[in-house]
Amino acid sequence: MSKKTAALEYHSTGRKGKIEVIATKPCQTAQDLSLAYSPGVAEPCLAIEQTPEDAYQYTAKGNLVAVVSNGTAVLGLGNIGALAGKPVMEGKGVLFKRFADVDVFDIELNSEDPDEIIRAVQLLEPTFGGINLEDIKAPECFYIEEELKKTMNIPVFHDDQHGTAIISAAGLINALELVGKKIEEVRLVVNGAGAAAIACANLVVSLGLKRENLIMCDTKGIIYQGRTEGMNKYKERFAVDTPMRTLEEAAVGCDVMFGLSSKGAFTPEMVRTMAVNPIIFAMANPDPEITPEEARKVRGDVLVATGRSDYPNQVNNVLGFPFIFRGALDVRATTINEEMKIAAVFALAELAREECPDSVCRAYGNVKFTFGRDYIIPKPFDPRALLRVAPAIAKAAMDSGVARQPIADMDKYVEALESLQGKAKETLRMIINKAKCDPKSIVFPEGENEKILRAAQVLVEQEIARPILLGNEAKIRCTLEQLGIDLNGGVTIIDPANSEKSEAYAAELFQLRQRKGLTLSEAKRLITRKSRTHFGCMMVRQGDADTLLAGIDSNYAETIRPALQVIGKQEGLSSVHGLYMMVFKNGIYFLADTTVRIDPSSEELAETAILTAEKARMLEIEPSVAMLSISNFGSVRHPQADRVRRAVEIVKQREPGLAIDGEMQADTAVAAEILKASFPFTSLKQTANILIFPDLTSGNICYKLLNKLGGAEAIGPILMGMNKPVHILQQGDDVMDVVNMAAIAVVDAQNCSSP
């Protein structure tokens, strides 16, 4: 399939276009209708008439941005008109929603008269919390934005100008650091004098570049003092007193070249004449002024960025506008000023210097991104961009006096932003916060693993846990040095082969397993050489560590077996059980048993239900338990259904206050209309959030299908019923998976140590 065919099919398949409006309140009953519209809607109307600011309380205004265009400068397509530009504006709406949960109406205005556009946008102010101007040609775009900012009391932001400027400036700060140059000392040439070029020039001057060290060129050459051809007041600001007249002359000895012009505008000869360690931002789209290959063929010390996603260092506006508006909307800013733009620049520059998450690397084909010449700008799919840029914008708005609703607690604001990225983020943040209240020691048998070491850094820096790393100390310290990780004494490193406790651990293991075929010599080998998991489990058993997390280098069975042998299940339980938390956009479900018991008895099913309910309460979620089966309350007579029915009876006897019912089918458990309409006698007050499966086969299949096809995030496996807390990693887990499971392990240990 050609790219053209694929693109047209993408936009036309199913519901046409890329966006839709979704109601956020129920409208299923007559009561709903009376509240949504007449007569109930009169109440918020009257409240807003009395207090206009209440519009932010009772309407979507505070999270609604207008993407406004007249289609005169669309992408690389030029003046194609308002209607033809609509797919781009819809796409902009998709990006706002995807990256920052900002709602958008796209507004295409069929006019090239800037005063008509200004008046039209001014009339929209009651509807929107912000205005994103898009794809309006220069110089009209400058005039339109200036007039709107003067007359409107909501943020107005022309992304083609300032978005490109912010991202490129962030990249420039990092590029200059890498080549050892200072912004106030470099010479910069900007090729192009349109909206983005002039905004880039203005912003780098705000960052410290001396105006006399900046030369701007357009299609007629250098913009110099006294030139009259092709000039306007916006270009005039960058007219310099120089005898040079061509781009080729300007390139000689310059440190930085910004291209916002056309394909091939930078020649190899220009690159050859630049200063040592030259920096080139070739940002023309879709084809840059010069490709990285062409530039590096001329000289090896050149650092190159482009607007292309298939080259390193992409200047991509999606790193800016969603998060800039998010921060501006959240403090009800009256404008987006220079201070806010500069705050975004430094937030992005600093983010690129941090270690890139594994999830981002996977999104780009498992490429490892490390701050350097090929990674000076964060990647668009980096979820941390929202958490860095939006707070920076909000703080700058407050500090500069344009915020009408300042944020009192910035830490809580960051947590609220995390929740926008999905229910999983909100849940995990809550777990991490609980862990930080009372950090516990957690032993990692695979202490030499790179992901474990990187996770240990996060655990130490955020004070979530006190890691204990098992392995060869010299090897661990060498790996830490190679990774550039300084744990500042926040971890303990133990080599089981040299530990003074190995002898006692081996003796204890022999006592535990001597009648199960284990000899003393084999116990010593297991503890000192063969199995660090046995050593780690013994640490937990003996109270030398609070909990254990293992499995990133081994399969599930190899990890759980030592835990069962050394720590064992809780007294009075028939077995241990496995749980997965399935996190959807609007809710969390606990699925069990999904990892341990293949064909559980009624007793074991009852235990699974009770233990899972305890875990839900531990996470401050009130349990509602459904015992699943092929049958709905006796509709099918089968030994499996009978076993489930018996399990419900056992739970009700042991935990009479627990909301539980069954046997029931899966759709009955989660659909209120089925549960209440067909089975009004059920003891469940709400649909189930805990689903107990009749066997491991169904549970395991279900959680994997929900994860892959249903879009749910799977958190686990979480072991339940162990005598002391032990949890298991999966071999494909990334660093944040390890951190999240470590937080769960710490919270579990907190509960175990509670009186």
Side-chain angles (χ1 to χ4, degrees):
M1 183 184 294
S2 69
K3 287 185 178 180
K4 176 181 178 180
T5 302
L8 292 175
E9 184 175 301
Y10 172 84
H11 287 80
S12 63
T13 300
R15 183 186 287 265
K16 309 308 178 188
K18 301 188 289 294
I19 58 176
E20 65 176 320
V21 175
I22 298 175
T24 60
K25 302 293 187 295
C27 193
Q28 305 293 330
T29 67
Q31 171 72 359
D32 293 340
L33 186 58
S34 71
L35 293 173
Y37 200 54
S38 181
V41 75
E43 297 305 326
C45 292
L46 293 171
I48 294 167
E49 181 189 31
Q50 186 72 27
T51 309
E53 280 292 299
D54 280 357
Y56 289 93
Q57 179 72 17
Y58 299 120
T59 77
K61 177 182 173 73
N63 196 53
L64 191 59
V65 167
V67 174
V68 179
S69 178
N70 67 350
T72 53
V74 179
L75 295 176
L77 303 176
N79 188 350
I80 62 174
L83 183 60
K86 184 174 174 62
V88 178
M89 306 314 127
E90 286 189 357
K92 197 85 172 187
V94 170
L95 298 179
F96 265 109
K97 189 68 177 177
R98 163 63 178 81
F99 290 101
D101 196 29
V102 173
D103 297 316
V104 163
F105 289 157
D106 59 296
I107 309 290
E108 291 76 34
L109 299 175
N110 192 24
S111 174
E112 294 191 20
D113 183 335
D115 290 313
E116 284 189 341
I117 293 170
I118 290 167
R119 186 58 183 148
V121 175
Q122 288 170 334
L123 294 171
L124 295 172
E125 184 164 356
T127 303
F128 295 98
I131 304 292
N132 184 102
L133 300 174
E134 191 75 17
D135 292 351
I136 301 172
K137 68 183 177 69
E140 290 89 339
C141 62
F142 303 123
Y143 169 62
I144 291 169
E145 185 186 43
E146 287 172 357
E147 291 302 307
L148 291 175
K149 292 184 80 166
K150 288 178 191 175
T151 58
M152 298 184 75
N153 206 33
I154 58 175
V156 177
F157 184 82
H158 185 206
D159 185 49
D160 298 321
Q161 292 182 59
H162 310 301
T164 302
I166 287 166
I167 313 309
S168 60
L172 178 61
I173 286 172
N174 283 338
L176 290 172
E177 178 176 313
L178 288 168
V179 301
K181 297 182 180 182
K182 297 180 179 179
I183 194 167
E184 61 269 19
E185 297 174 355
V186 299
R187 267 206 320 118
L188 184 146
V189 175
V190 178
N191 191 49
I198 288 176
C200 287
N202 280 325
L203 189 54
V204 293
V205 169
S206 294
L207 290 169
L209 184 83
K210 294 178 180 177
R211 189 174 285 273
E212 60 267 28
N213 287 346
L214 189 153
I215 292 178
M216 182 174 286
C217 304
D218 62 10
T219 55
K220 303 191 182 302
I222 288 176
I223 296 171
Y224 59 89
Q225 290 180 3
R227 196 184 105 172
T228 57
E229 186 181 12
M231 294 294 287
N232 58 51
K233 68 177 184 178
Y234 304 102
K235 293 182 184 181
E236 194 66 47
R237 296 172 187 167
F238 294 96
V240 291
D241 183 10
T242 177
M244 294 185 290
R245 294 295 182 264
T246 66
L247 177 61
E248 289 80 4
E249 292 176 280
V252 177
C254 80
D255 299 282
V256 184
M257 292 182 72
F258 271 18
L260 298 121
S261 51
S262 59
K263 177 183 178 181
F266 295 163
T267 66
E269 184 58 31
M270 293 179 195
V271 178
R272 189 175 287 111
T273 63
M274 292 177 70
V276 65
N277 282 316
I279 297 167
I280 297 174
F281 279 48
M283 295 177 276
N285 261 321
D287 298 303
E289 286 79 0
I290 190 169
T291 66
E293 297 97 329
E294 291 168 336
R296 289 171 183 151
K297 189 174 181 180
V298 176
R299 53 193 301 176
D301 63 342
V302 65
L303 192 159
V304 186
T306 73
R308 292 271 294 261
S309 61
D310 53 348
Y311 288 125
N313 301 326
Q314 183 192 16
V315 178
N316 191 326
N317 286 18
V318 78
L319 277 166
F321 67 84
F323 318 124
I324 291 166
F325 271 97
R326 180 74 276 156
L329 292 171
D330 290 339
V331 294
R332 296 186 195 168
T334 57
T335 186
I336 294 173
N337 57 26
E338 199 72 6
E339 292 90 339
M340 295 161 75
K341 288 184 279 185
I342 290 173
V345 169
F346 282 104
L348 287 169
E350 290 165 7
L351 178 57
R353 297 173 202 162
E354 297 181 24
E355 184 178 6
C356 192
D358 291 340
S359 59
V360 177
C361 298
R362 284 201 302 270
Y364 291 87
N366 288 316
V367 177
K368 178 70 174 174
F369 299 113
T370 304
F371 179 60
R373 286 174 171 262
D374 285 336
Y375 182 64
I376 58 173
I377 302 170
K379 293 296 181 182
F381 284 102
D382 193 328
R384 301 170 301 169
L386 172 65
L387 310 181
R388 301 292 194 278
V389 178
I393 290 289
K395 185 176 186 303
M398 292 187 290
D399 292 345
S400 60
V402 299
R404 288 177 292 180
Q405 182 176 277
I407 294 169
D409 189 329
M410 196 58 71
D411 289 337
K412 288 192 179 300
Y413 175 56
V414 173
E415 292 179 14
L417 291 173
E418 278 188 312
S419 70
L420 295 179
Q421 297 178 330
K423 194 72 175 175
K425 295 286 185 182
E426 181 181 5
T427 302
L428 291 170
R429 172 52 55 187
M430 181 271 292
I431 294 170
I432 286 171
N433 285 343
K434 285 175 72 75
K436 291 168 73 171
C437 291
D438 182 18
K440 299 293 184 181
S441 60
I442 178 167
V443 59
F444 293 94
E446 297 138 320
E448 297 171 3
N449 182 282
E450 178 182 323
K451 290 181 180 179
I452 298 297
L453 294 176
R454 289 160 58 202
Q457 180 184 25
V458 178
L459 296 173
V460 170
E461 288 178 351
Q462 295 191 21
E463 298 180 345
I464 297 170
R466 301 191 303 276
I468 301 170
L469 306 175
L470 301 187
N472 181 283
E473 183 169 357
K475 185 174 181 180
I476 289 173
R477 296 200 180 280
C478 179
T479 305
L480 287 171
E481 185 176 349
Q482 291 172 352
L483 294 172
I485 296 174
D486 183 1
L487 295 173
N488 296 316
V491 302
T492 300
I493 300 174
I494 297 175
D495 186 345
N498 303 320
S499 172
E500 60 184 18
K501 297 203 172 185
S502 292
E503 192 75 25
Y505 287 171
E508 177 71 10
L509 180 60
F510 174 62
Q511 287 295 320
L512 287 171
R513 306 294 298 173
Q514 62 185 347
R515 292 185 178 275
K516 307 248 192 239
L518 186 71
T519 64
L520 179 58
S521 60
E522 180 61 20
K524 289 179 179 180
R525 279 195 296 272
L526 280 172
I527 290 294
T528 58
R529 298 185 187 88
K530 192 173 179 181
S531 173
R532 291 172 185 160
T533 303
H534 275 86
F535 186 97
C537 289
M538 193 59 71
M539 289 187 70
V540 175
R541 176 184 174 87
Q542 299 294 83
D544 296 325
D546 295 310
T547 182
L548 175 141
L549 191 57
I552 203 164
D553 282 336
S554 55
N555 63 45
Y556 188 86
E558 290 173 345
T559 306
I560 196 172
R561 189 177 299 113
L564 292 172
Q565 291 174 350
V566 174
I567 295 174
K569 62 181 177 61
Q570 292 176 19
E571 188 175 349
L573 294 182
S574 62
S575 67
V576 298
H577 309 262
L579 160 70
Y580 265 93
M581 291 168 54
M582 306 303 296
V583 186
F584 293 86
K585 181 178 180 180
N586 297 316
I588 298 175
Y589 292 85
F590 297 81
L591 275 58
D593 186 334
T594 49
T595 61
V596 181
R597 305 306 301 174
I598 295 176
D599 190 22
S601 65
S602 295
E603 177 74 21
E604 289 168 335
L605 286 171
E607 285 179 1
T608 301
I610 292 169
L611 291 170
T612 306
E614 289 176 0
K615 280 287 183 285
R617 291 194 186 103
M618 181 184 85
L619 301 177
E620 300 178 9
I621 296 172
E622 187 59 31
S624 178
V625 186
M627 305 292 284
L628 302 183
S629 176
I630 57 171
S631 168
N632 269 324
F633 305 103
S635 63
V636 175
R637 305 304 301 185
H638 188 275
Q640 185 193 68
D642 294 340
R643 188 171 66 213
V644 173
R645 191 179 309 112
R646 173 59 184 151
V648 175
E649 294 170 0
I650 295 171
V651 174
K652 288 184 174 181
Q653 290 169 4
R654 294 183 182 175
E655 297 283 340
L658 178 61
I660 184 171
D661 215 335
E663 79 287 11
M664 69 177 74
Q665 295 174 0
D667 55 345
T668 301
V670 298
E673 62 273 18
I674 299 176
L675 192 64
K676 295 299 183 184
S678 300
F679 309 103
F681 54 81
T682 179
S683 56
L684 296 185
K685 300 287 190 296
Q686 60 186 28
T687 55
N689 54 22
I690 294 177
L691 306 177
I692 306 300
F693 292 87
D695 54 49
L696 183 62
T697 300
S698 56
N700 192 270
I701 289 171
C702 183
Y703 99 78
K704 290 182 177 179
L705 283 176
L706 288 175
N707 178 230
K708 297 302 181 184
L709 300 182
E713 182 169 344
I715 300 175
I718 299 170
L719 275 184
M720 304 181 295
M722 294 294 295
N723 200 31
K724 291 192 174 183
V726 170
H727 291 290
I728 298 176
L729 297 168
Q730 298 183 89
Q731 290 182 332
D733 281 348
D734 64 25
V735 172
M736 286 313 300
D737 291 326
V738 177
V739 171
N740 294 334
M741 284 301 299
I744 291 172
V746 168
V747 173
D748 210 0
Q750 290 171 350
N751 287 341
C752 287
S753 62
S754 298

